[in-house]
Amino acid sequence: MPSTRSNAGIVVFSGGSAANSLVDQFNELAKIRGCLLSYAIAISDNGGSSSEINRFVGGPSVGDLRSRLVRLIPSAPEAPEKTALKTLFNHRLPSSPQAARLEWLEIIESRSPLWDDISSAKKEVIRAFLNNFNLEVVKRARPPSSVFNFQSASIGNMFLSGARLFSGSFEAGVYLLGTIAGVPEGVQVLPAVNSNFSHHISAGLEDGSVIVGQNAISHPSEPTASSSSSTTTPRTTADASQEAQTGIDDHVEDASLPGSLPSLRRQNISFCKSAEEALPARIERIWYINPYGQEMRPSANPKIVDAVNNARCVIYSIGSLYTSIVPCLILRGVGDAIASPDILHKVLILNGSLDRETGPVPYTATDFVAAVARACAGSRGGFTGPPPSPRDYRTYVTHLLHLEGEGTPKVDSTHLRSLGIECVRVYGRRADAEKGMRYDGNALLQAFDAILGKRDARGDKGRRMTLEG
């Protein structure tokens, strides 16, 4: 008989910025139930300032991890140092490379007002790792062919990278930032893969084309360049051009291995999330690749597998489906852990809007569920067998929380209920200056009350959620 796991933990699979809006709700959910809360975060982003760090000094993408760790810094008006730490680690340098470099020097030399409310002891610890990152940048500089571009760089990202380089441990860098930031006890932020190396993903589309790199999949800085996924495709002009570019790149000293794909060595510092070129076809699956573009199957961070094995509830949060959630699920070990019948609640929080990744034919709620199920099943079998049938979806998703309104994905609650998946409609609000809807925090907690069991600590009885079916 399955265990109730009444005191077991909660695991949230999420990306960075989108799910940050629900962090307070997740934290309260775990606090009231007295259980461990674990956030599993992908490390495959190759856009923004992370792309320049990866290019120049190597290592995993740290942006989403930094975003979650800093979001978890407790708000304390009576403790200005907390606010100052949050401001420092979230701070981005100017968009002008020259101005950015000058401000960076002001920060590491302790001349910046960003340090004003941070204690001397904590400031010097932080500066030590920022200066370690700067030492690595100076050591690797090969002007004019290769220099680090500080444009729009995140201070928190450079701190994490400096701590990793100093300790030789990605896990140690994450721990150090969490400790300095004062992340609450009972909460852990876990990289999907615990590695000192960069990890990249590719997307295979239904028309047979392939898109390389997370940035090109979700919000490309230039029109997407897709190529046939067939290994027997004849040599083309594009192939020859890529080989030529690879040869040029190999004369530039950076952290990339010789012969690495040019698209993975590119600076993707500037991009626009609001103006998205539609994909030519739906995404069929996501996989990890090595620097040469060959498919690989890395294992998940063992701490994530342990957290899922000891969880009473798994949550797939809002965010980019194929570049934030799925890269965590396809890792070896994750699918088997989630499939356990001992986990009674496997909750998908449906996005309040559609994006580039969930098109060009708009995704329905069933499509989201199917994508999660395919990713988890792929983790178990390496995508060598047939995809899971709809009747198997409940192995990985037992409940669906969703909004209703203009721009939200369509939900066929009758069909999903026939598959054993409960649907709960949650109250939400129109997103300001954005498409779609946003979840109301109290309504989301009430929905989890209905799923996990009532709590005595809340007295808000307003009608904010509806169990459908």
Side-chain angles (χ1 to χ4, degrees):
M1 173 178 290
S3 167
T4 59
R5 296 191 177 193
S6 59
N7 294 318
I10 296 172
V11 178
V12 179
F13 291 97
S14 78
S17 56
N20 278 342
S21 63
L22 304 182
V23 162
D24 290 339
Q25 285 69 45
F26 294 142
N27 290 356
E28 184 174 354
L29 189 66
K31 180 179 179 181
I32 295 298
R33 285 168 173 78
C35 64
L36 177 67
L37 174 62
S38 303
Y39 291 101
I41 310 288
I43 61 164
S44 50
D45 189 9
N46 69 326
S49 65
S50 291
S51 68
E52 181 65 354
I53 293 175
N54 293 350
R55 181 190 73 85
F56 206 78
V57 302
S61 176
V62 299
D64 286 347
L65 282 158
R66 181 267 311 162
S67 176
R68 182 56 42 80
L69 287 165
V70 176
R71 176 63 179 81
L72 286 166
I73 297 176
S75 297
E78 70 283 0
E81 185 177 65
K82 296 288 187 184
T83 302
L85 286 170
K86 185 173 289 192
T87 301
L88 173 68
F89 288 128
N90 271 337
H91 182 72
R92 288 192 178 275
L93 299 177
S95 57
S96 163
Q98 294 77 17
R101 182 172 176 275
L102 291 175
E103 184 179 348
W104 167 247
L105 293 176
E106 290 285 307
I107 291 171
I108 62 174
E109 292 174 358
S110 194
R111 301 174 186 270
S112 170
L114 289 169
W115 298 111
D116 286 353
D117 290 321
I118 298 176
S119 65
S120 176
K122 195 163 289 188
K123 176 179 70 174
E124 297 310 323
V125 170
I126 297 170
R127 284 185 63 234
F129 293 105
L130 293 178
N131 274 295
N132 186 64
F133 178 82
N134 190 64
L135 174 63
E136 194 71 20
V137 165
V138 172
K139 182 173 65 177
R140 291 171 178 263
R142 300 291 186 273
S145 63
S146 183
V147 293
F148 186 81
N149 186 351
F150 286 98
Q151 173 188 348
S152 303
S154 161
I155 300 302
N157 290 0
M158 291 188 284
F159 173 85
L160 264 177
S161 297
R164 178 188 64 80
L165 290 166
F166 175 82
S167 65
S169 167
F170 186 28
E171 183 179 48
V174 173
Y175 170 79
L176 184 62
L177 178 55
T179 301
I180 291 175
V183 171
E185 291 186 13
V187 179
Q188 57 180 353
V189 180
L190 304 172
V193 181
N194 184 24
S195 170
N196 279 320
F197 300 96
S198 299
H199 283 67
H200 297 285
I201 57 173
S202 282
L205 308 189
E206 290 181 346
D207 65 358
S209 58
V210 173
I211 301 177
V212 177
Q214 175 172 323
N215 192 71
I217 297 168
S218 57
H219 35 256
S221 52
E222 59 184 35
T224 302
S226 301
S227 61
S228 172
S229 60
S230 172
T231 57
T232 60
T233 302
R235 178 183 173 86
T236 65
T237 303
D239 295 329
S241 175
Q242 178 164 296
E243 282 189 13
Q245 183 62 49
T246 300
I248 294 172
D249 290 339
D250 283 347
H251 285 85
V252 176
E253 289 190 56
D254 57 21
S256 304
L257 291 171
S260 297
L261 291 178
S263 57
L264 300 181
R265 304 175 74 162
R266 185 182 300 139
Q267 290 181 339
N268 296 312
I269 296 174
S270 300
F271 56 85
C272 180
K273 293 186 178 182
S274 59
E276 298 174 340
E277 170 204 4
L279 289 171
R282 279 187 167 191
I283 295 176
E284 189 171 60
R285 76 178 182 99
I286 295 288
W287 62 89
Y288 282 87
I289 57 172
N290 64 20
Y292 310 112
Q294 299 163 324
E295 182 171 356
M296 54 186 287
R297 292 194 63 220
S299 297
N301 184 343
K303 289 189 175 180
I304 289 180
V305 177
D306 288 344
V308 175
N309 283 334
N310 290 286
R312 68 171 300 195
C313 176
V314 167
I315 300 172
Y316 311 103
S317 183
I318 60 172
S320 300
L321 175 64
Y322 283 108
T323 56
S324 292
I325 310 301
V326 168
C328 295
L329 304 181
I330 61 176
L331 294 165
R332 284 190 293 164
V334 173
D336 281 331
I338 292 176
S340 170
D342 287 341
I343 306 174
L344 302 182
H345 308 107
K346 306 166 188 181
V347 185
L348 171 60
I349 306 177
L350 197 63
N351 287 345
S353 63
L354 296 168
D355 58 15
R356 168 181 161 92
E357 296 179 18
T358 49
V361 179
Y363 266 44
T364 66
T366 304
D367 292 323
F368 276 85
V369 171
V372 169
R374 285 198 304 270
C376 292
S379 163
R380 306 175 74 183
F383 299 97
T384 55
S389 70
R391 289 292 175 185
D392 295 326
Y393 291 172
R394 197 180 188 282
T395 303
Y396 310 105
V397 179
T398 61
H399 295 78
L400 176 85
L401 303 185
H402 70 94
L403 296 163
E404 189 173 86
E406 184 180 355
T408 60
K410 302 299 181 184
V411 180
D412 187 343
S413 57
T414 302
H415 174 61
L416 288 170
R417 187 173 177 81
S418 73
L419 302 178
I421 299 172
E422 298 288 346
C423 296
V424 180
R425 186 172 69 248
V426 180
Y427 173 76
R429 297 182 175 88
R430 172 67 54 189
D432 296 335
E434 298 177 14
K435 56 186 178 180
M437 305 280 289
R438 300 185 66 178
Y439 285 92
D440 175 84
N442 287 332
L444 193 66
L445 284 172
Q446 288 181 11
F448 276 104
D449 283 344
I451 293 170
L452 303 181
K454 296 294 183 182
R455 295 170 295 157
D456 296 328
R458 297 189 61 82
D460 184 358
K461 301 298 183 181
R463 182 175 60 84
R464 293 176 177 271
M465 48 72 64
T466 304
L467 181 64
E468 300 177 320

